[in-house]
Amino acid sequence: MEQFQMIRYLDGNGNLLNFEIPKALSLDFIKELYERLTLVRAFDRKAISLQRQGRLGTYAPFEGQEAAQVGSALALQPNDWLFPTYRDHAASITFGHSLKTILLYWNGRVEGCVPPEGKKIFPPAVPIATQLLHATGAAMAEKRKGTNNAAIVYFGDGATSEGDFHEGLNFASVFKAPVVFFNQNNQYAISVPIEKQMNSETIA
Ligand SMILES: Cc1ncc(C[n+]2csc(CCOP(=O)(O)OP(=O)(O)O)c2C)c(N)n1
């Protein structure tokens, strides 16, 4: 089986490793990416602080997963669908959610589930892996309607141990649904390390 390896662009001190900036990326776009990463990291740290002060009900941090979320959400077209979990606010913010909406969500307010007008962003899925089925269904509907719209669905390594994960992938495969399954393997299902959770060598 092909081995997948970690991709690294910076060393531990922030020095650039052997990496050339792809020609397709303009300096302006690189600055935009950096700005977006900085924004979501600041938001994440502020939200943790608010939660510790008792001013937010609860909060699931995403530090370390910003680039995966910002980059993938920026690759979407405006009419695509986004299905996040409780840990994917960087993706939702990048695709159009306001910071205020996310804070309302964590204070248990229903307004926190409402996307901006015309944006197809689902409320964060807390029941693990259920969102894979929702995304597959939305993508199948887009296909039946004959549009070019697609769906992206985020999920953790732990979610791959759920039946919903397999059902979602199977339906998407059988019906050729335009859905991107975007796994973020942070090595833990909250507290259970990946080697205790699966026998697969890699999630891919
Ligand atoms: C259907 C369901 N079963 C169990 C839980 C309890 N639970 C909350 S988070 C979690 C682990 C999720 O792990 P992973 O998908 O890797 O996400 P992350 O660790 O990034 O939060 C579990 C089992 C749940 N929320 N939903």
Side-chain angles (χ1 to χ4, degrees):
M1 184 184 176
E2 189 186 342
Q3 281 299 313
F4 293 87
Q5 292 182 343
M6 189 186 295
I7 298 171
R8 267 186 111 186
Y9 295 131
L10 299 175
D11 69 16
N13 295 318
N15 300 311
L16 203 55
L17 297 169
N18 299 324
F19 173 67
E20 280 186 25
I21 295 171
K23 290 201 174 59
L25 296 184
S26 69
L27 198 55
D28 280 349
F29 185 57
I30 291 170
K31 280 185 191 160
E32 182 192 338
L33 288 172
Y34 187 70
E35 262 177 43
R36 286 179 179 275
L37 290 173
T38 310
L39 172 77
V40 295
R41 178 162 290 186
F43 173 84
D44 195 50
R45 290 183 176 174
K46 181 73 183 174
I48 294 166
S49 164
L50 289 172
Q51 196 277 330
R52 298 294 185 268
Q53 294 167 44
R55 293 157 76 192
L56 273 191
T58 182
Y59 183 74
F62 54 74
E63 183 151 342
Q65 300 181 206
E66 296 94 336
Q69 295 185 26
V70 168
S72 56
L74 272 181
L76 299 176
Q77 298 298 317
N79 285 326
D80 290 340
W81 295 78
L82 189 144
F83 292 82
T85 73
Y86 50 77
R87 206 183 289 291
D88 301 314
H89 304 306
S92 302
I93 291 167
T94 305
F95 198 45
H97 251 322
S98 67
L99 309 186
K100 182 177 156 187
T101 311
I102 310 287
L103 295 177
L104 285 169
Y105 172 81
W106 286 109
N107 262 330
R109 296 272 295 268
V110 70
E111 299 93 317
C113 291
V114 182
E117 187 68 31
K119 275 283 171 188
K120 295 182 280 194
I121 305 176
F122 249 54
V126 177
I128 302 299
T130 49
Q131 74 281 10
L132 281 89
L133 299 170
H134 306 155
T136 300
M140 285 168 65
E142 293 288 1
K143 190 175 180 197
R144 288 186 76 147
K145 286 198 267 181
T147 73
N148 282 326
N149 303 332
I152 187 167
V153 55
Y154 297 87
F155 56 102
D157 41 286
T160 66
S161 298
E162 289 272 2
D164 284 356
F165 164 79
H166 298 277
E167 291 165 33
L169 261 68
N170 189 55
F171 260 76
S173 160
V174 168
F175 292 100
K176 308 227 178 320
V179 52
V180 176
F181 294 98
F182 198 92
N183 181 255
Q184 292 170 92
N185 177 2
N186 60 18
Q187 307 286 315
Y188 284 89
I190 297 274
S191 54
V192 180
I194 195 159
E195 62 273 11
K196 286 198 173 169
Q197 189 209 139
M198 61 178 69
N199 273 330
S200 318
E201 275 179 40
T202 75
I203 288 175

